[in-house]
């Protein structure tokens, strides 16, 4: 059974830092792109970042470029999101998600964790 | 970056059919995927690719696409289908970045 379990969320002051973790199990972690997706309270989903299987490629939504860093440790089946210079608008539930690929130009997030809440407030 | 636009809310009578649409330029290049999210829960993939359902998703959920518009249809809506639905596709910028739709709240009457 595929499982993704996030941790590391909490309350942080503006300008502070936080590191989220996602522990993966039930599949060959090193074979998949992985992503972070967030959802501000009462708002929609927003893709944040993703990382290639070997960590050689990383992509970010414009609003977090230069502040957030996605990384992975395939030996530990773990995904990370280092968040620096946090702002109030980063307050959200952060989900870890596996990125699947089907036939032709078909991409999708097929498994999600339960999410971890990050609150940026003084 | 690309944008995907959805109607904010739709309602459907129990047992009837409802179609949710998603519009955006990236849909001319990439298939949409669709996610169901109930309050306090993580999103769940319901449709991906041309019209594929993950294991465990009822066959009353189906997907289609034409031009810059993707659609999710629920045929014979059930009370448990009441939820928020989001579309998603890869951005057409060329890089593997992604965009979610604005979301549609489906109410089953």
């Amino acid at each position: 059974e595929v499982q993704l379990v996030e941790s590391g969320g909490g309350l942080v002051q503006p300008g502070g830092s936080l590191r989220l973790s996602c522990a993966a199990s039930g599949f060959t972690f090193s074979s998949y792109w992985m992503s972070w997706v967030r959802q501000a309270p009462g708002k929609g989903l927003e893709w944040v970042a993703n990382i290639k299987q070997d960590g050689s490629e990383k992509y970010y939504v414009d609003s977090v470029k230069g502040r957030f860093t996605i990384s992975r440790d395939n030996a530990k089946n773990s995904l990370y999101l280092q968040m620096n210079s946090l702002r109030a608008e980063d307050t959200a539930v952060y989900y870890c998600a596996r990125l699947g690929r089907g036939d032709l130009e078909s991409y999708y997030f097929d498994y999600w964790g339960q999410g971890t809440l990050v609150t940026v407030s003084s | 970056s690309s944008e995907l636009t959805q109607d904010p809310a739709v309602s459907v009578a129990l047992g009837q059919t409802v179609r949710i649409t998603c519009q955006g330029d990236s849909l001319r290049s990439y298939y949409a995927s669709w996610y169901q999210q109930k309050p306090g829960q993580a999103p769940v993939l319901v449709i991906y690719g041309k019209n594929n359902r993950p294991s465990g998703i009822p066959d009353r959920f189906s997907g289609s696409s034409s031009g810059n518009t993707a659609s999710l249809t629920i045929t014979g809506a059930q009370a448990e289908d009441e939820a928020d639905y989001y579309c998603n596709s890869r951005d057409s910028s060329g890089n593997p970045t992604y965009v979610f739709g604005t979301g549609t709240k489906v109410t089953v009457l």
Side-chain angles (χ1 to χ4, degrees), chain A residues 33 35 37 39 43-47 50 57 59-62 95 99 101-115, chain B residues 1 29-33 35 37 40-45 47-50 52 84 86 88-90 95-102:
Chain A
W33 283 76
S35 297
V37 176
Q39 186 170 37
K43 302 297 184 182
L45 300 172
E46 180 181 40
W47 172 80
N50 60 11
E57 295 182 33
Y59 298 90
Y60 303 90
V61 68
D62 287 346
Y95 296 101
L99 185 59
R101 181 176 180 178
D103 296 336
L104 302 176
E105 296 303 335
S106 169
Y107 303 86
Y108 46 90
F109 301 99
D110 54 359
Y111 290 95
W112 299 64
Q114 84 289 350
Chain B
S1 63
S29 304
Y30 300 102
Y31 284 110
S33 53
Y35 303 85
Q37 187 180 35
Q41 298 183 18
V44 173
L45 176 68
I47 290 289
Y48 66 96
K50 191 172 184 180
N52 301 295
D84 293 325
Y86 296 91
N88 173 269
S89 83
R90 180 165 158 163
N95 289 325
T97 57
Y98 294 82
V99 60
F100 282 93
T102 48

Side-chain angles (χ1 to χ4, degrees), chain B residues 25-109:
Chain B
D25 288 341
S26 61
L27 299 177
R28 297 185 184 278
S29 304
Y30 300 102
Y31 284 110
S33 53
W34 290 91
Y35 303 85
Q36 177 192 69
Q37 187 180 35
K38 297 180 180 178
Q41 298 183 18
V44 173
L45 176 68
V46 294
I47 290 289
Y48 66 96
K50 191 172 184 180
N51 181 18
N52 301 295
R53 284 176 289 105
S55 174
I57 300 302
D59 60 6
R60 62 179 178 271
F61 290 90
S62 63
S64 62
S65 183
S66 178
N68 74 334
T69 301
S71 300
L72 173 69
T73 300
I74 309 173
T75 303
Q78 301 300 301
E80 60 264 32
D81 300 333
E82 185 163 295
D84 293 325
Y85 290 83
Y86 296 91
C87 59
N88 173 269
S89 83
R90 180 165 158 163
D91 194 291
S92 53
S93 66
N95 289 325
T97 57
Y98 294 82
V99 60
F100 282 93
T102 48
T104 299
K105 168 65 177 179
V106 172
T107 300
V108 179
L109 303 172

